[in-house]
Amino acid sequence: MPMSKDVASIHNQLVEIAQDAHRTAHSTYNADDVLKLQRRLSTVDTQFQNGKLDTRYEEPGVCQVSKELDQVHHNVHSMLARVASDDEGEKGHHTQ
């Protein structure tokens, strides 16, 4: 059974964010770059949560989108952790 329009829209937005995160992760990036991804992801997450709460049964694709949302959150979080780690390393390096 195909996804509803709302679920498909969220899926498509997640795919775009995931692709942008992948491109960003394979380049030189900073906290601002990750923040932009987080803001977009937060908007999609809110749309998904609001839509999910409005349904009394699971629409086709909701489970898939939920897993995708979790994976993109994980990837963006890892990117932010790397930026924070790099920043700490630079601070420590400059003070030596």
Side-chain angles (χ1 to χ4, degrees):
M1 192 172 215
M3 293 181 188
S4 71
K5 283 185 177 183
D6 291 337
V7 175
S9 173
I10 290 169
H11 165 76
N12 292 335
Q13 290 176 70
L14 282 173
V15 168
E16 288 178 17
I17 294 168
Q19 290 171 341
D20 289 346
H22 180 78
R23 278 190 293 273
T24 301
H26 288 88
S27 66
T28 302
Y29 63 92
N30 59 35
D32 289 337
D33 298 322
V34 179
L35 182 59
K36 290 174 189 173
L37 292 167
Q38 284 183 313
R39 286 181 178 149
R40 289 173 57 200
L41 188 56
S42 177
T43 299
V44 173
D45 196 358
T46 299
Q47 291 172 355
F48 178 69
Q49 294 302 324
N50 288 343
K52 195 168 95 172
L53 295 175
D54 289 343
T55 59
R56 295 175 190 237
Y57 59 92
E58 187 174 301
E59 292 181 43
V62 169
C63 184
Q64 175 186 339
V65 168
S66 180
K67 288 178 184 176
E68 291 170 348
L69 188 59
D70 184 56
Q71 184 62 49
V72 176
H73 267 293
H74 174 76
N75 293 348
V76 171
H77 175 77
S78 295
M79 291 171 68
L80 187 59
R82 185 174 186 171
V83 168
S85 174
D86 288 350
D87 287 349
E88 285 300 314
E90 286 180 17
K91 289 177 185 173
H93 188 315
H94 292 302
T95 58
Q96 292 179 348

